[in-house]
Amino acid sequence: MTLLNKLKSFILPEEIDFYESLHQQSLLTEQIIQNLADLYVGDHEKETLPKLYELIKKAKESRIEKLKQLESVFITPIDREAISRAYTHLNWITLSTKHLVVELETYEIEQLTDFKPIFKLLCQAIEHLTEAFAELKNGKFEVILHAVNQVIHADNQLIYTYAKELKKLFKSSDVEYIYQHKEALTQLKEISKRIHFCANQVEDIVFKMN
């Protein structure tokens, strides 16, 4: 590094594209949800579960790295708390996914094909969330808010689907089966709620940008 570049590094603030960083973190979270769906309602191979844990670990490491970057710069496009909260909500989606997988492994449940409509709605919601993050950099507020509304709509639809699946589940005579699959449904609903909360945070960022 030249002397001039060294001086610049001390004098000038580091430039980081936080909107793109959030987009990349959301993309990684989207991969986790899609991998989850592939694992439990799609055709999958044995290495899919290790791959899912690998993605979860990668998301954790990425979040830590990006928060360190956030702490190290002088200038951010909006207040640091808003950016930090977005990372926190994305992290909660990942954590809720991990909690579900831990329960399913404990119960030795390998397939949830009856809940395929719920997984489909989760995938739709996370795709719209990633779309919203992607458009922050471009400042396309109408597109962002439309994507946020699509996330909320998917969550609302999921609640109705959750109730229907729960009703069908209670018709079973196998108490253990009911308990275990009810827990799985609850965790799926939690993931959807976390995606919804994250979309609300994107909406908050939009208002701060205006």
Side-chain angles (χ1 to χ4, degrees):
M1 181 183 289
T2 66
L3 178 60
L4 180 60
N5 287 335
K6 285 183 179 180
L7 288 172
K8 284 183 178 179
S9 67
F10 285 113
I11 297 171
L12 299 177
E14 183 181 1
E15 292 185 6
I16 297 174
D17 189 343
F18 284 104
Y19 293 146
E20 179 57 27
S21 294
L22 282 169
H23 175 223
Q24 291 301 319
Q25 191 72 18
S26 186
L27 271 174
L28 185 52
T29 309
E30 181 180 329
Q31 289 178 41
I32 290 170
I33 297 299
Q34 290 176 339
N35 196 267
L36 178 76
D38 289 341
L39 178 59
Y40 289 102
V41 298
D43 297 327
H44 64 279
E45 300 174 356
K46 291 182 179 180
E47 68 266 25
T48 305
L49 185 55
K51 180 182 177 182
L52 180 56
Y53 276 121
E54 182 182 335
L55 286 170
I56 290 172
K57 181 182 177 183
K58 184 178 178 181
K60 178 182 177 181
E61 292 171 349
S62 174
R63 172 177 171 268
I64 292 171
E65 179 186 349
K66 288 178 170 64
L67 288 178
K68 285 181 179 178
Q69 290 178 343
L70 181 61
E71 292 174 0
S72 68
V73 298
F74 295 105
I75 299 173
T76 56
I78 53 173
D79 60 85
R80 295 166 187 266
E81 289 78 9
I83 298 172
S84 177
R85 282 194 297 270
Y87 282 118
T88 297
H89 286 303
L90 284 168
N91 184 53
W92 267 112
I93 298 169
T94 300
L95 284 176
S96 295
T97 303
K98 183 178 180 181
H99 296 164
L100 170 62
V101 174
V102 168
E103 286 200 36
L104 294 177
E105 279 194 283
T106 303
Y107 301 148
E108 298 181 342
I109 296 175
E110 296 183 353
Q111 283 284 294
L112 290 170
T113 49
D114 289 342
F115 301 159
K116 193 169 185 176
I118 290 182
F119 280 94
K120 183 178 179 180
L121 287 166
L122 283 179
C123 289
Q124 290 174 357
I126 194 66
E127 287 170 7
H128 288 302
L129 180 63
T130 300
E131 179 189 0
F133 275 116
E135 294 299 340
L136 282 176
K137 183 177 180 179
N138 301 321
K140 295 182 178 179
F141 301 131
E142 289 186 7
V143 176
I144 296 169
L145 294 178
H146 176 71
V148 167
N149 287 332
Q150 290 297 105
V151 173
I152 295 171
H153 177 69
D155 183 42
N156 289 336
Q157 290 297 113
L158 190 142
I159 296 302
Y160 286 114
T161 307
Y162 165 85
K164 290 177 182 178
E165 292 300 334
L166 207 56
K167 182 179 179 180
K168 288 192 290 185
L169 190 60
F170 287 151
K171 292 180 180 179
S172 173
S173 58
D174 187 335
V175 176
E176 183 179 7
Y177 180 90
I178 293 173
Y179 177 79
Q180 291 177 351
H181 285 73
K182 180 180 180 298
E183 284 296 304
L185 274 173
T186 300
Q187 287 293 351
L188 287 167
K189 185 172 72 168
E190 179 69 13
I191 295 170
S192 181
K193 181 174 74 174
R194 294 298 175 182
I195 298 173
H196 186 156
F197 285 170
C198 195
N200 290 151
Q201 183 56 34
V202 176
E203 192 173 38
D204 183 60
I205 290 174
V206 169
F207 295 146
K208 291 179 185 298
M209 292 170 69
N210 276 327

